[in-house]
Amino acid sequence: RDEAAALTRAADERKVVERAKGAVVRYAGLDEDAAYRRLRRLATDSNRRLVDVAREVLAAGEVFRALDQQADGPARSPARPQDRRRGSLVLPNGHGGHDGTGGTS
């Protein structure tokens, strides 16, 4: 009985981590492996469980979605990897930041 509950809890925690990994992929423009490593590193560096960090990431995502819905303009979507050009940062207004090559994107 305790073993079944532990297995269910472990499966639920894995789902939370997977959802958080997806959020990091979307918001940071990383691939899944890099997103997982970033979550794992944050958990290790802050001496917290991975699932606790994942829950915080998901909670932050909810806050940003709520803020986007309250904004005067249309909600913006997170940067997509295809929006990143030659190392430049695509800002929320759609303009590129300085890319370190003497020009802007």
Side-chain angles (χ1 to χ4, degrees):
R1 199 173 187 188
D2 289 337
E3 185 177 335
L7 290 173
T8 299
R9 187 174 47 254
D12 290 343
E13 290 178 354
R14 277 194 299 276
K15 290 176 189 176
V16 170
V17 171
E18 286 297 316
R19 286 180 46 222
K21 184 172 69 172
V24 173
V25 165
R26 283 189 305 279
Y27 285 97
L30 301 173
D31 65 33
E32 288 188 11
D33 288 338
Y36 180 80
R37 285 191 305 271
R38 190 163 295 183
L39 287 169
R40 176 55 78 211
R41 167 77 93 183
L42 181 57
T44 301
D45 289 352
S46 59
N47 197 29
R48 293 182 288 166
R49 296 177 58 221
L50 179 59
V51 70
D52 294 334
V53 169
R55 286 185 182 119
E56 291 175 8
V57 167
L58 293 173
E62 291 295 323
V63 170
F64 285 114
R65 274 191 290 285
L67 291 172
D68 276 346
Q69 290 173 357
Q70 293 177 357
D72 294 334
R76 65 176 182 83
S77 60
R80 296 179 309 268
Q82 63 268 29
D83 291 337
R84 299 170 189 269
R85 295 180 286 280
R86 293 178 39 206
S88 64
L89 173 66
V90 177
L91 303 175
N93 62 6
H95 295 83
H98 189 274
D99 64 3
T101 61
T104 59
S105 301

